[in-house]
Amino acid sequence: MIRLDCDYMEGAHPKVLQKLIETNEVSTPGYGNDAFTAAAKDKVRLACGCPDADVYFLVGGTQTNATVIDALLARHEGVIAAESGHINVHESGAIEATGHKVLVLPQHEGKLKAEEVEKFIDDFYADETYEHMVAPGMVYISNPTEYGTIYTLEELADLSTVCEQAGIPLYMDGARLAYALAAEGNDVTLNDVARLCDVFYIGGTKVGALFGEAVVASPGWLPHFTPLVKQHGALLAKGRLLGVQFDALFTDGLYEEIGRHAVSQAIRIRDAFTAAGYPPFIPSPTNQQFFRLPNEVIDSLSDAFTFEYWGPRGETVSDIRIVTSWATSPSDVDAFISRIQSL
Amino acid sequence: MIRLDCDYMEGAHPKVLQKLIETNEVSTPGYGNDAFTAAAKDKVRLACGCPDADVYFLVGGTQTNATVIDALLARHEGVIAAESGHINVHESGAIEATGHKVLVLPQHEGKLKAEEVEKFIDDFYADETYEHMVAPGMVYISNPTEYGTIYTLEELADLSTVCEQAGIPLYMDGARLAYALAAEGNDVTLNDVARLCDVFYIGGTKVGALFGEAVVASPGWLPHFTPLVKQHGALLAKGRLLGVQFDALFTDGLYEEIGRHAVSQAIRIRDAFTAAGYPPFIPSPTNQQFFRLPNEVIDSLSDAFTFEYWGPRGETVSDIRIVTSWATSPSDVDAFISRIQSL
Amino acid sequence: MIRLDCDYMEGAHPKVLQKLIETNEVSTPGYGNDAFTAAAKDKVRLACGCPDADVYFLVGGTQTNATVIDALLARHEGVIAAESGHINVHESGAIEATGHKVLVLPQHEGKLKAEEVEKFIDDFYADETYEHMVAPGMVYISNPTEYGTIYTLEELADLSTVCEQAGIPLYMDGARLAYALAAEGNDVTLNDVARLCDVFYIGGTKVGALFGEAVVASPGWLPHFTPLVKQHGALLAKGRLLGVQFDALFTDGLYEEIGRHAVSQAIRIRDAFTAAGYPPFIPSPTNQQFFRLPNEVIDSLSDAFTFEYWGPRGETVSDIRIVTSWATSPSDVDAFISRIQSL
Amino acid sequence: MIRLDCDYMEGAHPKVLQKLIETNEVSTPGYGNDAFTAAAKDKVRLACGCPDADVYFLVGGTQTNATVIDALLARHEGVIAAESGHINVHESGAIEATGHKVLVLPQHEGKLKAEEVEKFIDDFYADETYEHMVAPGMVYISNPTEYGTIYTLEELADLSTVCEQAGIPLYMDGARLAYALAAEGNDVTLNDVARLCDVFYIGGTKVGALFGEAVVASPGWLPHFTPLVKQHGALLAKGRLLGVQFDALFTDGLYEEIGRHAVSQAIRIRDAFTAAGYPPFIPSPTNQQFFRLPNEVIDSLSDAFTFEYWGPRGETVSDIRIVTSWATSPSDVDAFISRIQSL
């Protein structure tokens, strides 16, 4: 069975695992107060071009979103997000559990539009009853989005400007950031992300690590963050495991390489489906691809390949999602493509 | 200046005030453990036709919603509400502050549709990832709604059935319940409300009390509610003030009388605007009326009358809301109508 | 039956009630945006000698404590309080419900000692693991305390200094502040309180109002407080009721007068018990008095007088609390004293 | 430098690491819905002698405590714990952040006494004002405690009885459970723990895993736990990593073996210090040992060995903690002992 369900179906990329093995018996202080973690933070800062940034390593994505958002918002504030945003849909109410409302705006292929964010904020303060409403305290975006789409540099700059004018931080959920950076047509660099977002995270879990997310914050945005990380149950005792893994990911361009590999395999699959008469129904340039297929096609493919339904199975036609990762071998993709060609 | 902004612009209805004056110097235990409160609870139970119901008196509406919803939901659950629901819009995130998401459905003139609630619940459990989402744990409706509209008996019964089948409670925010009961075309009695809703509250603040809301719960839905009321800062030290006021409201039909008075004055205003060529843009049969008027009409009326803009002022035309109460005198309404007729 | 259980057993002081009656039918905007409230805030500022202070009116004490503490603390911080502090004992976990720990220090007749607060803060930051602990973010005191005792000016100044040096606010719960100001031996004025505490509240519920507490904050400590008040369900729709009552309390020295009256009656009772061989077991100079009495004495008194047990009834001896208020008539106290003298 | 600071200073036990390496490239579903996790759950159930128990794997201890306690408590309840309990001291307020108070009882070498718990509960309900207080909703113990001490079977049975009579669950934090099971004089088996505690967790992080804690719950205590785990940011995407590790720990007695090894090395160190005239100041039979040493002894040892101060450094004498683990080699302990002998 060839599995294309998600990008967290295996352990770690071999180079990451190798580094964990090599360092396994070294004794270090706990909670990230170790030399591996310090080195990894420096590599992340270097990769982002922001030598002054604060870097923190957390374990998982939902945890990171909840902790960062809890840190950035005042009690009377909420977080603006697209309706399709992960924090609004798939985090079991983790944001609300910290006491904050997700202020929902329409999604456009998963993305927020800067002008709609601006209008929302303007309308909020134009409403005489605004003190009875939840104030917009920050903006959350994911890049790539939950639909695999990416922000252009212009879109990102516009969002940044809107946030800056409103005096609120722009936060990017980069759970799959490597795949945005490696996407066809992407014009955003990691330096751009660091420059335009006040806080963001570089996802490890879905990009070759066993687990781990690197939060990068411009100076001053996350004071007293460590006790909050602890309070959220997100401070790993053997914190050096995060440092070791991010050190590996940010050595010799591994992070970018994983991104490129996965995206290239996803594009091959997309092109095969398109050639077979099934173009993607969302134009994703990243490692997630979405197709609307006759149920008999889905059933036929399912004997040797696994993937997820995207929403409920329809009467005759259903939507599916295909995801690639560092672990997706070109030969498996060959086999899949050959099967698609024979549909 | 004649004020038609809202139904909480004066103190208490004279009969309510009179009862407060008469009882002012009587010594009683605190926190509602007094005979006035006990008597008022019995009167509320009698009026609702539910002798076994639990009755609690709280101070205000947002407080009541937050406390009841916090009591009814498990930690992983959220509350279904119309997009326009008060808890979603105008409570400064009080629900989220207790850790729960408001699960938003479309509003239809302020109302939820039973079939949409049913579909939402069905779709939720049909989604394979539902444990990553916020479970629907109860349904919130307001009656009258924030647009002044009311539920029919059939609509209420359908919602009740959907909730019962899903095993979740139906909760009605009755901040202005008297005006629904007195509305033109209303076919829902207080007994129906008590029978079809698992928990609801009878609003006092907007119906002649200085303050106060009476929560009525079918047995078993609100165990350990008193410490939660205290925890929410909603347990009034001089609790007997709530009992005294609800005793007055539920003596000799005062609650219903206030409802009828306010609605009849509102309908007179509605008819005058309609005759003048400005029918309401939402068909409300209650004490709130909504009109779309040329700005010059608004400006002209504003020299002697006050009311609220409903949303921002438009370029040439704006929406306004007119609200009546026990304190709206027929002669003031005469003056207003005469002015409308001269537009 | 003469009731000496508490200071919230009746309605409002006649002068407060009179003002509510006089203003009952005046139309005003809601939520405290009215002229009565504005005037009352000015009178409070004047009485406190702090023309720049922010003043907010809330409904009850637990609510006020929870809202203010939630506003003053960052997410990783807790509030230092005496073990006997109301927030630690008798608020059903309202502080924890907002996510914050109460950091408990020993009580000395209900009071915190400045040097113990200082040591706690010093020890906290001296602990290498302090980021795994709850940071002291403010200090809570009540004056009078839950035992009726009061802070001296020196004690208050010392606490203020410790807080200032630590960069954290000092907050006073003044639910019964009038009785401290009127206490025998008190050397603290309302101006001192306003000067030495960053935030405090002047209790109305227990000092002649139907309900209501006036929060007074030095500039800058409570930004965005109104939406938080709303979020906590503490924003009264008919907010002017709070303004009207505090206007009455701060007209012609009524607040001080109520304090003096209640304290003088309490002292008469104390002296009578002392003369009868039952001196108070806590030396309270305010309107709460605590006595340890043989059970047969308690039982004998109980035929005509009510008061509370302070803790569980003992085998042969029990502790009781006697409380006076504006409503305690000298003739009732005469009757009580005469009974005590005949013990 | 030989490090004896803690039991989380290295990576994983070689057998655990080996299993991670072997399984690294296998594709599985995420979030613990994989065969490794299923197998590990069965092994845990088998080791505990409770075939019907619910088993969940979480990442870390603070996270586990917060999630379990949040799941077990109603909104108006708190958790009873010893003053020295980890949840009261060293979790940055994680319990309070979920809205619940830690109800503190005295610690006796880190332990709760059943009779004191019983008295606390009895006194609570005997207090007439108990609805204004935080209700005891569960009991938290750690075994071994934060001082390395352990509960006897009788003590555990007594606590269990008290909890059962009160109708509240007994929860054991087993972050270092292996070391209790392997302790000198221990008479409690894993089966006893499973039988007497309603919910407990078997710690992995401090017992040879990279990370991971196994929650074991008697049926019915943790309904809807998975969405709550997700809400707490504790649902690992690559959940199988937890299954793989616990499978290794519960294969061929590795968990017990790690416990025995660490305890035996700790006892050797204890005996050496005792022989040198420095008996432990707390009689711990587990892998944590506590000594009060002259500062010059501490300074002398510190050139080649690391360990933690337990509290602040004293003027002439200080307390230190020595901790052993699977990674503590007998030869390193030899070196340490030899150094102690030469003191």
Side-chain angles (χ1 to χ4, degrees), chain C residues 273-342:
Chain C
F273 268 119
T274 303
Y278 303 112
F281 66 87
I282 301 171
S284 160
T286 62
N287 74 320
Q288 298 184 85
Q289 296 293 330
F290 301 83
F291 304 99
R292 185 158 298 154
L293 303 176
N295 288 349
E296 60 267 23
V297 169
I298 293 173
D299 296 342
S300 154
L301 292 171
S302 296
D303 62 345
F305 306 92
T306 70
F307 37 77
E308 286 189 358
Y309 281 92
W310 194 249
R313 182 177 164 105
E315 295 262 324
T316 57
V317 164
S318 305
D319 295 344
I320 63 158
R321 185 182 69 160
I322 303 280
V323 191
T324 58
S325 75
W326 65 268
T328 309
S329 76
S331 62
D332 282 355
V333 174
D334 290 345
F336 193 40
I337 287 174
S338 139
R339 187 63 174 278
I340 294 166
Q341 289 168 337
S342 70

Side-chain angles (χ1 to χ4, degrees), chain B residues 45-66:
Chain B
R45 286 189 195 98
L46 189 67
C48 296
C50 47
D52 299 331
D54 294 319
V55 179
Y56 300 91
F57 296 119
L58 280 77
V59 174
T62 293
Q63 182 187 84
T64 300
N65 285 334

Side-chain angles (χ1 to χ4, degrees), chain B residues 28 42 80 108 132 141 215 238 253 273 279 284 302 304 307 313 327 336:
Chain B
T28 65
D42 281 343
I80 293 175
H108 304 278
H132 293 222
I141 56 172
V215 173
K238 297 181 177 176
F273 268 119
S284 160
S302 297
F307 38 76
R313 183 177 164 104
F336 192 40

Side-chain angles (χ1 to χ4, degrees), chain A residues 2-238:
Chain A
I2 294 173
R3 297 191 175 273
L4 297 158
D5 309 35
C6 208
D7 33 21
Y8 44 83
M9 308 197 74
E10 294 81 18
H13 185 281
K15 290 186 182 174
V16 173
L17 184 63
Q18 186 55 38
K19 182 103 182 177
L20 285 168
I21 295 168
E22 284 169 11
T23 60
N24 188 60
E25 306 221 354
V26 182
S27 277
T28 66
Y31 302 111
N33 299 314
D34 63 274
F36 297 123
T37 299
K41 289 184 177 183
D42 281 342
K43 289 191 177 177
V44 167
R45 286 188 195 99
L46 190 65
C48 296
C50 47
D52 298 332
D54 294 318
V55 179
Y56 301 90
F57 295 119
L58 280 77
V59 174
T62 293
Q63 182 187 85
T64 301
N65 285 334
T67 309
V68 168
I69 291 169
D70 195 21
L72 288 174
L73 293 181
R75 296 297 278 158
H76 69 295
E77 294 176 334
V79 50
I80 294 175
E83 190 178 3
S84 51
H86 203 256
I87 58 168
N88 190 47
V89 179
H90 271 120
E91 302 194 350
S92 295
I95 304 309
E96 290 85 1
T98 69
H100 298 289
K101 192 177 189 70
V102 180
L103 301 164
V104 175
L105 290 187
Q107 55 89 6
H108 304 279
E109 293 180 344
K111 295 192 280 184
L112 284 177
K113 288 197 171 178
E115 61 265 32
E116 291 181 0
V117 172
E118 187 173 28
K119 183 175 187 316
F120 180 86
I121 297 171
D122 288 349
D123 284 356
F124 178 84
Y125 288 105
D127 190 317
E128 289 182 2
T129 67
Y130 76 86
E131 288 190 316
H132 293 221
M133 297 157 69
V134 177
M138 64 181 287
V139 172
Y140 165 96
I141 56 173
S142 41
N143 190 36
T145 69
E146 294 70 19
Y147 292 117
T149 53
I150 60 173
Y151 283 87
T152 66
L153 183 56
E154 187 182 0
E155 288 170 337
L156 208 55
D158 287 350
L159 279 166
S160 181
T161 300
V162 166
C163 286
E164 194 178 353
Q165 286 171 349
I168 62 177
L170 175 61
Y171 168 59
M172 181 189 284
D173 175 339
R176 292 188 168 100
L177 188 54
Y179 308 119
L181 298 174
E184 288 183 308
N186 172 57
D187 62 353
V188 174
T189 66
L190 198 47
N191 283 24
D192 293 328
V193 171
R195 182 173 48 84
L196 295 171
C197 297
D198 300 290
V199 184
F200 66 102
Y201 83 82
I202 301 172
T205 301
K206 293 172 178 169
V207 190
L210 290 179
F211 56 88
E213 324 296 325
V215 173
V216 183
S218 294
W221 280 108
L222 296 179
H224 308 296
F225 195 60
T226 299
L228 209 58
V229 171
K230 178 70 179 169
Q231 187 182 87
H232 276 264
L235 193 66
L236 199 64
K238 297 182 177 175

Side-chain angles (χ1 to χ4, degrees), chain A residues 3 8-12 21 24 26-28 31 62-63 90 92 94 205 209-211 227 230-231 233 238 240, chain D residues 3 8-12 21 24 26-28 31 62-63 90 92 94 205 209-211 227 230-231 233 238 240-241:
Chain A
R3 297 191 175 273
Y8 44 83
M9 308 197 74
E10 294 81 18
I21 295 168
N24 188 60
V26 182
S27 277
T28 66
Y31 302 111
T62 293
Q63 182 187 85
H90 271 120
S92 295
T205 301
L210 290 179
F211 56 88
K230 178 70 179 169
Q231 187 182 87
K238 297 182 177 175
R240 97 295 193 46
Chain D
R3 296 188 176 276
Y8 43 83
M9 308 196 74
E10 294 81 20
I21 295 167
N24 188 60
V26 181
S27 277
T28 65
Y31 302 111
T62 293
Q63 182 187 86
H90 271 123
S92 294
T205 300
L210 290 178
F211 57 87
K230 177 70 180 171
Q231 188 181 89
K238 296 180 177 175
R240 100 289 193 49
L241 300 174

Side-chain angles (χ1 to χ4, degrees), chain D residues 195-215:
Chain D
R195 181 172 50 83
L196 295 170
C197 297
D198 300 290
V199 184
F200 66 103
Y201 82 81
I202 302 171
T205 300
K206 293 171 177 170
V207 190
L210 290 178
F211 57 87
E213 323 296 325
V215 173

